[in-house]
Amino acid sequence: MAASEAAVSGAAAGESAMMATIEDLVAMAPRATGSPGGAAAADYVERRFAEAGLQTEVLEVPSFAWRAEACELRLGDTAFACSPILHSGLAGHEWTGEVQHRLDAPVVDIGADRVRRHDVRGAIVLFDLSFDMTVAHSLPLTLFLHDPGRRVLRREVLRSRNPYVTSLARTMREAAEAGAVGVIGVLRDYPDSRSYHNEYYRRTLFPLPGVWVTRAEGARLRATLGRQSRARLTLDVTRREVVSRSVIGVLPGRTRDAVMVQSHHDSIGPGAVEDASGTAAVIALAERYGAAARAGAEREKTLLFVTFDTHFTGYQAHRAFARRHVLARDAPWNVVLNATIEHIGLRAVEGADGGFASTGETEPRGVFVNVNPAFTWRIGRAVRRHGLHGTSLLGAGALEFFAGGIPTDASFTFVSGVPTVSLISGPLYLYDDADTIDRIDRAQLVPVVDFFADVVDDAERHDGRRLGTMPASLRRRLPRGRW
């Protein structure tokens, strides 16, 4: 077999193996924190790490499981299909128990406006959810863009939005402060789906009960408001403390210096792209380096492979890991680099049927970096060498101090002072039940793994104290971990 044919054959085998891992994880969904699926996913990752020859441990940290037992919306005798705004109706960040929210109140329609411009005391606020961050918003941070087909720079792509930054937290906070009693969010800029599973925004409590309605139901509701201005909103909530399970696999090197490779295995829906794809990449890298170790390869730096829980419930595991394994004086390792892999997915748009239609193109993605200029240059070369099209290098140094972190799973080690290389993309379906196997960018699975192997190997060849944008001796003097 010719060398080129062998490479193609090896890539195909790698892609098939990663797809099998993704399929296994999706079969366990939902992999929510504290759920049977979440426990099964943690057990699965631990077993795969052990089979790869890694020493394993499970980091168990308290978190919370929120559930809506009942969800209903009516105006007079007219019922409207709705779904709960996740994590809404809470009395406090640490609150657990059961509560029945039964509202009968006037509706104040603010559309896309700010709450503060309306009198909403004692009312249910009807608002249009906006997705506030586009691909174009990343351009000021862009250090390098590999876009040989100029697909990212098309107007419709630059205008496309991700599900992370929305008007929900702002609206909920302002509505509560203004004396409102509940909220109804219209998914105005979203396909015809009520399966938008919003994240728990750990800095913002959602004290008011709330529901989502689709764009079509929102229009029907607004038409009904002309005849009936009061709504009955029912949201019965249960929240209990659960134990999250994050998995750590260790491949010891000759020193305490460690390179960390991470993703998260939890999900709300099927979670194929978010983040079975990232977990599959972490497992593939663990198996690659485990096999090399069994073949006699020795490394200076320890390798840590971590898949986190609590991504959707407050990041308690991420914070605990950073406190114990990065910031603590007696931390077992000196983490000199974090490599985070999230969301190897295809770009989708709203289809003719109102759902998500795949374009067959890679979703534009960014690699946040706060490493030294020479390392950044080598990473840019690796992006091009491995054909990671539609990929930008984003300078993250300023975000450490002015934005309080980066919008990726790496944020807590990042703000703890660890040099970071974090890949992420933001297709709009990530928080939806539409995040299914067919959304995976299969052709990019192996290239992403090969790229991160290059990043890990590059860090192995260089002094861990000098991987960041400033020497480690200076970074340690800065205040860390103020979350």
Side-chain angles (χ1 to χ4, degrees), residues 248-327:
I248 304 170
V250 184
L251 197 60
R254 289 187 291 267
T255 69
R256 286 182 59 251
D257 280 4
V259 173
M260 175 181 175
V261 182
Q262 78 171 70
S263 190
H264 67 92
H265 59 250
D266 56 331
S267 74
I268 303 300
V273 175
E274 186 173 44
D275 215 320
S277 66
T279 298
V282 173
I283 290 172
L285 285 162
E287 291 174 339
R288 176 179 298 197
Y289 287 105
R294 290 194 299 274
E298 295 184 357
R299 301 183 68 85
E300 187 76 14
K301 296 179 178 67
T302 293
L303 291 179
L304 307 177
F305 299 91
V306 186
T307 66
F308 280 97
D309 203 344
T310 73
H311 182 92
F312 294 96
T313 57
Y315 296 92
Q316 293 89 353
H318 302 68
R319 285 182 276 173
F321 182 95
R323 285 193 298 266
R324 299 178 193 182
H325 297 317
V326 179
L327 296 170

Side-chain angles (χ1 to χ4, degrees), residues 15 20 42-43 87 95 116 142 157 167 170 178 228 230 250 290 313 337 384 430 436 463:
E15 179 185 308
D43 289 343
H87 313 291
W95 177 86
R116 62 172 177 256
T142 300
V157 176
S167 59
R170 178 182 69 235
Q228 173 59 256
R230 296 183 69 87
V250 184
T313 57
L337 182 72
R384 181 162 25 186
L430 277 186
T436 50
D463 187 340

Side-chain angles (χ1 to χ4, degrees), residues 113-133:
D113 204 359
R114 297 292 292 266
V115 173
R116 62 172 177 256
R117 298 189 177 98
H118 303 265
D119 180 5
V120 299
R121 183 169 299 277
I124 299 171
V125 176
L126 175 64
F127 74 100
D128 290 329
L129 181 73
S130 62
F131 297 89
D132 296 335
M133 179 173 283

Side-chain angles (χ1 to χ4, degrees), residues 330-390:
D330 60 348
W333 311 288
N334 174 37
V335 182
V336 298
L337 182 72
N338 176 290
T340 295
I341 311 170
E342 297 181 86
H343 315 157
I344 309 172
L346 295 168
R347 179 172 171 261
V349 296
E350 185 171 350
D353 62 352
F356 292 95
S358 177
T359 64
E361 300 175 358
T362 296
E363 173 70 21
R365 56 200 169 190
V367 180
F368 285 94
V369 294
N370 68 330
V371 297
N372 67 61
F375 196 4
T376 300
W377 179 77
R378 295 192 299 271
I379 290 169
R381 291 191 66 185
V383 165
R384 181 162 25 186
R385 181 167 61 252
H386 293 294
L388 269 61
H389 46 262

Side-chain angles (χ1 to χ4, degrees), residues 33-299:
T33 300
S35 72
D43 289 343
Y44 176 84
V45 174
E46 185 181 21
R47 175 176 63 79
R48 293 290 297 272
F49 282 175
E51 290 173 351
L54 278 58
Q55 302 168 5
T56 66
E57 64 175 275
V58 176
L59 176 64
E60 295 189 340
V61 177
S63 186
F64 300 95
W66 182 99
R67 180 175 175 178
E69 305 292 347
C71 179
E72 187 175 283
L73 176 64
R74 287 182 173 274
L75 267 69
D77 295 328
T78 305
F80 296 86
C82 64
S83 62
I85 294 179
L86 270 59
H87 313 291
S88 68
L90 297 180
H93 284 296
E94 306 296 318
W95 177 86
T96 58
E98 300 178 2
V99 62
Q100 295 182 337
H101 296 284
R102 305 294 170 87
L103 307 181
D104 186 342
V107 176
V108 175
D109 183 3
I110 69 169
D113 204 359
R114 297 292 292 266
V115 173
R116 62 172 177 256
R117 298 189 177 98
H118 303 265
D119 180 5
V120 299
R121 183 169 299 277
I124 299 171
V125 176
L126 175 64
F127 74 100
D128 290 329
L129 181 73
S130 62
F131 297 89
D132 296 335
M133 179 173 283
T134 67
V135 172
H137 282 96
S138 68
L139 293 179
L141 298 176
T142 300
L143 306 174
F144 167 77
L145 170 62
H146 182 56
D147 186 26
R150 295 187 63 81
R151 294 181 175 181
V152 173
L153 296 178
R154 288 177 296 170
R155 183 174 300 177
E156 67 272 17
V157 176
L158 289 172
R159 289 177 175 173
S160 62
R161 299 175 183 273
N162 68 48
Y164 311 132
V165 183
T166 76
S167 59
L168 172 58
R170 178 182 69 235
T171 302
M172 181 70 77
R173 182 178 60 252
E174 292 181 357
E177 291 172 352
V181 295
V183 298
I184 303 168
V186 180
L187 297 170
R188 180 196 66 185
D189 300 325
Y190 202 68
D192 187 23
S193 170
R194 285 183 289 108
S195 299
Y196 172 67
H197 305 303
N198 57 277
E199 195 174 332
Y200 176 67
Y201 300 93
R202 59 188 173 81
R203 291 191 178 99
T204 303
L205 182 69
F206 290 176
L208 304 182
V211 298
W212 297 119
V213 297
T214 64
R215 182 171 53 213
E217 283 292 83
R220 193 166 74 93
L221 191 154
R222 282 173 166 136
T224 307
L225 280 175
R227 304 186 300 275
Q228 173 59 256
S229 63
R230 296 183 69 87
R232 297 197 304 276
L233 190 156
T234 298
L235 186 67
D236 295 349
V237 170
T238 299
R239 194 181 195 231
R240 59 190 176 91
E241 185 172 300
V242 296
V243 177
S244 68
R245 303 181 72 234
S246 300
V247 186
I248 304 170
V250 184
L251 197 60
R254 289 187 291 267
T255 69
R256 286 182 59 251
D257 280 4
V259 173
M260 175 181 175
V261 182
Q262 78 171 70
S263 190
H264 67 92
H265 59 250
D266 56 331
S267 74
I268 303 300
V273 175
E274 186 173 44
D275 215 320
S277 66
T279 298
V282 173
I283 290 172
L285 285 162
E287 291 174 339
R288 176 179 298 197
Y289 287 105
R294 290 194 299 274
E298 295 184 357
R299 301 183 68 85

